[in-house]
Amino acid sequence: MNIADIMTVVGFIVVLIIVLILLAISIYIYFVDRTQRQHPVLRNYPVVGRVRYFFEKIGPELRQYFFNNDRESKPVSREEYQHIVKKAKYKRDVEGFGSQRDFEKEGYYIRNSMFPRLTEELRMDRESKVTTDRYLLTKDPLFTQREEHLEKENSPAYLLDEEDTIVVGENCREPFKLRGQIGMSAMSYGSLGERAISALSEGLGIAGGTWMNTGEGGLSDYHLKGGGDIIMQIGPGMFGLRDKEGNFNWDELKEKSRIPQLRAFEVKLAQGAKTRGGHVDAEKVNEEIARIRMVEPFTSIDSPNRFPEFGDLPSLFDFIEKVREHSGKPVGMKIVVGSHFEAEDLAKGIRDTGKGPDFITIDGGEGGTGASYQELTDSVGLPIKSALPLVDNALKKHGVRERVKLIASGKLFSPDKAAIALAMGADLVNIARAFMITVGCIQTLKCHSNVCPVGVATTDPDLQKALVVDEKKHRTANYLISMRKGLFRVSAAAGLDSPLHFKREHVVYKDEKGKTWSLDDIYQSMIQPGGEGSINA
């Protein structure tokens, strides 16, 4: 028997063994499926029925990559996702051929000036520079991996002019001064892993002129790692600022206030995606997270719907005053707006008591979260473009707008969206999910499960190995710098020398028939009895 015959026989035997193994496995699965009681599909269609669950499992990925068009997927479309990645990875924000926006639909537009500002006319800090790593794409073949290499780039930081510094809490012992209008919204250590928090912290520190909100999970060493400014959030569970019984610990507040990087506190009443207390599954609560939050390890964490310390505006304002007095630092509040009446009551309360927050973070109902409930994320709380003008109007009406800075939050992850929010009344803009994308998020929608495949929204040490802090921190910095650059570019197009000067008159709304409305027209109809769009209509 020659070599060819021997190889043929061996090959036949190997194939036969494989077939027999597969047949045995199929028979075993057949009887398992036939006898199980949980899935009717498998009882009626053993083995073959498993294909259904396979495709159901990979359905989100199939829709994301194959079936949804570039502007269709939610919560972040593929087009929006790619814009974020390009800013972060390549520090590029140009596109070819034309916009993919559907101009037949209604929407907001920034009014361009016939005589835009020249670059040299912009009021910006021209001295501060930032050096980051960015990728340069050299070849993008169809069937092999794209060729790209890292290069150092030194660019302007695109900060506000020093004379335009935004001061939060002017009357506090330690006011918070900012020269960038974009910062990181609340994201807790525990919801995100230590590598994600570290990369974000270091990236924001590289870019400078910004802030990082800790989320309600307490202040960790990873938030402090980058050396940037910190806003510590105080949630209803008071994590990181509580005693063993779960009561607010005023001594711990004083201790935290001594940290120079900690520049302000934020009392969280609600979040857009969950107008309730937060939730973290037990498997995410390791010993370190439990120590920081001052809870038991490996137990699920649910914070209350509201603070037990207060249940109305006067007691809330008293709590804010006490936190400000103990810390010496600005104190704000995070809210979700449900109606014109709430905004009115808040503004009246600030006016009548002479107390209240130094800043208000308004989170739109479209805001994100690590874990919440469908009925809350979809239907409770107004989106940011409705909520923001209600609060701005109410504060102006009652003469207290100058005392309070407004921070807008809710999918404002492109320069034009941020500019529209500033025109609607915001002083500053919070961003969360886009920053998650800069450190590797691919939108698998598994933030609540601790099995994030790219190591962002997980505390699993094995999964976190995918996230390289020294690489991702530059992407965070690049995205923020590109956002600020884009804000100045939009300002110039509107005839403004700084994004600080966006007002209502710089934005118009076009309806589906092509008719345009000024923001003032829209806002008046929102508050006039019987007006179009009025809550009384």
Side-chain angles (χ1 to χ4, degrees):
M1 185 178 288
N2 57 33
I3 296 294
D5 293 335
I6 293 173
M7 294 300 294
T8 300
V9 171
V10 171
F12 176 77
I13 293 172
V14 170
V15 171
L16 181 62
I17 291 172
I18 292 173
V19 170
L20 289 173
I21 291 173
L22 291 175
L23 182 62
I25 292 173
S26 297
I27 293 171
Y28 171 76
I29 294 175
Y30 178 89
F31 284 106
V32 169
D33 289 350
R34 270 294 193 190
T35 56
Q36 59 82 37
R37 300 185 177 187
Q38 186 177 4
H39 302 293
V41 171
L42 295 183
R43 283 176 67 84
N44 283 339
Y45 306 98
V47 185
V48 177
R50 289 177 177 261
V51 175
R52 173 191 185 275
Y53 295 102
F54 171 74
F55 282 112
E56 183 180 60
K57 186 75 173 177
I58 66 172
E61 286 78 10
L62 290 175
R63 286 189 292 275
Q64 182 178 2
Y65 295 117
F66 297 108
F67 302 125
N68 283 343
N69 67 44
D70 285 347
R71 300 180 66 84
E72 191 174 37
S73 56
K74 301 293 183 183
V76 180
S77 73
R78 182 160 52 215
E79 182 192 44
E80 292 167 330
Y81 181 90
Q82 289 173 346
H83 282 313
I84 295 165
V85 171
K86 286 178 183 177
K87 288 180 175 68
K89 189 175 181 180
Y90 304 108
K91 217 171 184 178
R92 285 180 62 80
D93 44 15
V94 296
E95 60 180 24
F97 204 63
S99 172
Q100 295 186 50
R101 179 175 183 172
D102 186 348
F103 290 94
E104 298 300 316
K105 290 185 177 180
E106 68 278 0
Y108 293 91
Y109 291 84
I110 297 167
R111 287 179 57 187
N112 61 296
S113 171
M114 292 182 65
F115 304 99
R117 295 280 184 161
L118 299 173
T119 302
E120 54 268 26
E121 293 179 309
L122 295 176
R123 282 176 57 87
M124 57 178 282
D125 178 355
R126 301 183 185 278
E127 303 298 322
S128 298
K129 306 288 183 181
V130 180
T131 301
T132 60
D133 292 344
R134 70 160 186 169
Y135 284 92
L136 186 65
L137 182 64
T138 55
K139 188 181 290 187
D140 193 10
L142 183 59
F143 294 108
T144 58
Q145 193 170 3
R146 65 182 58 175
E147 295 179 15
E148 50 194 17
H149 66 268
L150 276 174
E151 66 174 14
K152 296 283 184 186
E153 186 188 60
N154 186 264
S155 69
Y158 294 98
L159 297 172
L160 298 173
D161 187 81
E162 191 168 357
E163 293 182 7
D164 293 331
T165 298
I166 297 171
V167 182
V168 181
E170 289 183 271
N171 298 320
C172 295
R173 295 196 299 273
E174 300 179 46
F176 183 17
K177 298 180 180 179
L178 286 161
R179 291 174 57 205
Q181 292 175 283
I182 299 171
M184 194 192 91
S185 191
M187 291 194 281
S188 301
Y189 171 49
S191 293
L192 305 189
E194 62 266 24
R195 290 201 181 192
I197 295 292
S198 297
L200 291 165
S201 175
E202 293 188 36
L204 296 171
I206 291 170
T210 185
W211 66 93
M212 184 180 202
N213 192 306
T214 65
E216 63 178 302
L219 178 65
S220 71
D221 291 339
Y222 308 109
H223 287 107
L224 297 167
K225 200 169 185 180
D229 292 332
I230 300 291
I231 298 176
M232 183 175 181
Q233 190 178 84
I234 307 171
M238 297 172 287
F239 302 124
L241 292 171
R242 52 190 269 160
D243 58 24
K244 293 180 179 179
E245 288 72 41
N247 300 310
F248 195 81
N249 190 332
W250 294 98
D251 291 332
E252 186 65 28
L253 174 71
K254 280 189 175 181
E255 190 65 29
K256 289 284 198 304
S257 300
R258 295 189 180 99
I259 300 173
Q261 281 177 248
L262 206 164
R263 304 305 307 275
F265 291 92
E266 179 182 80
V267 179
K268 174 188 169 181
L269 301 188
Q271 179 181 333
K274 53 182 180 192
T275 50
R276 59 177 291 277
H279 171 82
V280 181
D281 286 339
E283 55 265 30
K284 279 192 170 187
V285 188
N286 60 32
E287 288 89 347
E288 185 179 24
I289 290 167
R291 175 182 58 79
I292 291 168
R293 296 194 178 208
M294 301 175 182
V295 297
E296 289 295 319
F298 301 108
T299 57
S300 293
I301 300 174
D302 281 287
S303 54
N305 276 11
R306 67 170 179 83
F307 286 79
E309 279 75 11
F310 48 82
D312 54 27
L313 286 174
S315 55
L316 165 63
F317 292 166
D318 288 340
F319 180 77
I320 288 174
E321 291 291 322
K322 193 172 180 180
V323 173
R324 185 187 293 115
E325 182 57 35
H326 274 69
S327 66
K329 299 186 177 183
V331 182
M333 55 188 282
K334 183 173 185 175
I335 62 173
V336 174
V337 178
S339 72
H340 163 66
F341 300 110
E342 283 181 342
E344 281 284 313
D345 290 343
L346 177 59
K348 286 179 184 176
I350 296 173
R351 181 198 66 190
D352 295 342
T353 63
K355 302 176 181 179
D358 297 296
F359 64 93
I360 300 173
T361 301
I362 305 166
D363 201 17
E366 65 270 60
T369 182
S372 188
Y373 302 103
Q374 171 271 324
E375 63 271 19
L376 296 180
T377 59
D378 286 353
S379 299
V380 178
L382 292 173
I384 189 61
K385 289 186 177 72
S386 298
L388 177 59
L390 290 178
V391 178
D392 183 51
N393 269 0
L395 294 174
K396 287 176 177 175
K397 176 181 175 182
H398 296 285
V400 293
R401 179 64 179 87
E402 297 303 316
R403 290 172 45 187
V404 183
K405 294 292 187 287
L406 294 183
I407 306 178
S409 179
K411 296 180 71 173
L412 304 173
F413 36 61
S414 63
D416 55 319
K417 288 182 173 66
I420 289 170
L422 295 175
M424 288 180 165
D427 299 290
L428 303 164
V429 169
N430 264 347
I431 295 173
R433 281 170 290 187
F435 278 123
M436 287 178 65
I437 291 170
T438 69
V439 295
C441 170
I442 58 172
Q443 205 177 188
T444 59
L445 312 182
K446 297 177 180 177
C447 306
H448 60 291
S449 63
N450 206 35
V451 293
C452 172
V454 290
V456 177
T458 179
T459 58
D460 186 312
D462 291 327
L463 291 172
Q464 286 195 76
K465 291 176 183 177
L467 200 161
V468 180
V469 173
D470 286 338
E471 194 263 353
K472 292 296 188 284
K473 67 183 182 184
H474 291 287
R475 297 197 188 198
T476 299
N478 288 339
Y479 170 72
L480 179 56
I481 293 165
S482 298
M483 280 289 292
R484 294 195 298 226
K485 180 180 179 181
L487 263 183
F488 273 102
R489 188 163 49 231
V490 173
S491 303
L496 304 173
D497 61 8
S498 169
L500 198 67
H501 304 313
F502 272 111
K503 305 294 181 190
R504 295 179 180 181
E505 60 263 28
H506 299 116
V507 172
V508 295
Y509 177 81
K510 181 194 77 69
D511 66 19
E512 68 280 358
K513 298 177 181 177
K515 184 177 180 180
T516 59
W517 306 75
S518 71
L519 291 189
D520 278 325
D521 289 338
I522 295 172
Y523 296 166
Q524 282 302 114
S525 72
M526 291 171 71
I527 61 176
Q528 292 295 329
E532 184 177 344
S534 167
I535 58 173
N536 296 316

